Amino acid sequence: MDETSEPSLGLGLEPQPRAEAYRVLARKYRPQDFTGLIGQEALVRTLKNAFATGRIAHAFMLTGVRGVGKTTTARIIARALNCIGPDGTRKEPTIAPCGVCDPCIAIAESRHVDVQEMDAASRTGIDDVREIIEGVRYAPASARYKIYIIDEVHMLSKQAFNGLLKTLEEPPPHVKFVFATTEIRKVPVTVLSRCQRFDLRRIETPELVSHLAGIAEKEHVNIEPAALALVARAAEGSVRDALSLLDQAMAHEEGEAISAESVRSMLGLADRGRVLDLFEKVLGGRIAEALTDLSELYDRGADPLVVMQDLLETTHFLTRVKVAPGAEGFFDGGSGEAKRAAEMAAKLTVPTLTRTWQMLLKGLFEVRDAARPIAAAEMALIRLAYAADLPPTEKIVRELLDSSAAEQRASRPSAPAPPAPRAQTNSPSSSQPRTQAVSATALESAPQTGPTLRSLEDIAALAAAKGAAVLKVHIENDMHLLRLEGAQIEFRPSPRAPRSLAGDLAQKLKDWTGTRWVVTVAREGGAPTLSEQKNSTRAAKIEAVSQEPLVRAVLDRFPGAEIVAVRERAEQDIAQPTDESSSE
């Protein structure tokens, strides 16, 4: 009986031919040679030169995001290494496998005995790697090379990686390894250093649109270019994702022309023009109209999370247009929406756009985690709309400064008060940091004279001057000083301090000063560490500054604001409102 026919079951019925199983586009149009790979010109050029000169590596590492062709490239490499040509006479690897010889066909169907594919996500242990180590000792059964393709190699355990190292470094001449991973940073450097690495890049949207258009033509599918652009953008550079979405769009509009509107409905996207309307109304403070637009988009199937992402991309596009005219991205360069966005960007300032970006980004996370995403999206837009009415922060601070200066001039017109100190942390603001800075300068200028060390700050400065950064950190953070006299020092180490701190300090001090130091360790007592003293001083200064009337007014005006640093004003930095008023 024919294998493609169903049995008659003895009822006098004719056997019916079995329908051929449908193959998804991602499998049907998988490249069979290097000419079919799109967007990976650097990889193809390198491999072409390597095959031409015979400089073929023994191990390849393919990395990139999902769906850019890592596993496909691994299989093409296996076919190129083992192809024997249509007549079976080819003796060397070729960059252009024929696709019709027995090795090519068997590898394409994943049934070649000498080309073994392993999914490291399901076989992660050392036992699985031992099978490979045992297998490499034997020559190929029928092919030119025995090839091991390990997908998602970053999922291997630490023991598995270690077990593979020696074999990977010096494999037999008949063995080749091809690894694929989406998480290249999780692969140990000891493995990476033994492989020839190729980074497969994301496919650009125009290139992906062209590829999808060719496949749609082969499938006799009528689809609008705008719909193809939506599919390509939603795929985010992944060919497999793009083909899967195209498959879905074809099923969504079976037998009919596929429009951009149908694809947008299928993906839950908002129309670009509607997104611009929403963005304009929110920044214009017309929150009631903005909420109505958001509700309409939601009723039409738009995902609130996608709407927030579109608003973020709109903000990014407007900012790029603002700082780099001619930039393209979220909107097509020649579309009406792009021109409208460019006009909108001209009316907005960069500070407004950066503040919008920050608030939308926070709202995106809230929408993602909320039990009711639409409610979270509405609250984010309300917050952004009311923030849009606020004047810039620098304007508010300037008004407060001018008001304070006017009050001072009114009370004491002949002797205006000097401005109050303001914050910073990286400038010396107490006697202690200044002592350390002076000590470091003195030590650098005369290191050969045996510097006198009178305080722990001097020792830390000496360590910094000598380039002992790690020891300096331990001196500042892990030493509670009890006594420092002459060449003797006693301290209590913190729980985090290394056990060798006392010995290391004694040896370094001897090397640096030419004098033998006695360093002893105590179990209790001791002054606060230099780091604790610095933090205490900083906290005290911040507390003092926070009580200043002007600073308190700013903090009250902006709930949630905080002082992060304090510094003394230099003479050239002091504003002179009194002089300006006197000239008037």
Side-chain angles (χ1 to χ4, degrees), residues 82-98:
N82 287 328
C83 178
I84 60 175
D87 54 1
T89 59
R90 179 174 288 136
K91 302 298 183 183
E92 299 294 333
T94 175
I95 193 65
C98 66

Side-chain angles (χ1 to χ4, degrees), residues 276-277 279-280 314 318 339-348:
L276 276 178
D277 291 339
F279 188 86
E280 188 174 20
T314 300
L318 294 178
K339 296 178 181 178
R340 180 184 171 192
E343 296 174 356
M344 189 183 301
K347 303 176 183 178
L348 299 172

Side-chain angles (χ1 to χ4, degrees), residues 372-449:
R372 292 192 64 239
I374 184 62
E378 290 180 350
M379 292 303 297
L381 296 185
I382 292 171
R383 191 164 59 235
L384 179 59
Y386 278 90
D389 292 335
L390 294 176
T393 306
E394 62 273 12
K395 181 179 180 181
I396 298 177
V397 174
R398 191 181 303 112
E399 290 177 354
L400 289 172
L401 290 172
D402 293 343
S403 175
S404 177
E407 293 177 0
Q408 292 177 2
R409 289 196 302 269
S411 60
R412 293 183 296 172
S414 60
R422 61 190 178 95
Q424 181 174 348
T425 56
N426 57 356
S427 296
S429 57
S430 66
S431 58
Q432 182 177 346
R434 281 196 294 269
T435 302
Q436 180 172 343
V438 172
S439 300
T441 304
L443 292 171
E444 290 177 357
S445 61
Q448 303 87 355
T449 59

Side-chain angles (χ1 to χ4, degrees), residues 264-271 275 278 294 296-311 364 367-368 372-374 377:
R264 188 175 292 112
S265 174
M266 178 191 76
L267 298 177
L269 300 177
D271 181 77
V275 171
L278 181 61
L294 178 62
E296 292 177 357
L297 290 173
Y298 181 68
D299 292 339
R300 293 177 57 187
D303 187 348
L305 184 64
V306 175
V307 173
M308 296 299 293
Q309 290 173 338
D310 286 349
L311 289 173
L364 178 70
V367 172
R368 182 194 63 186
R372 292 192 64 239
I374 184 62

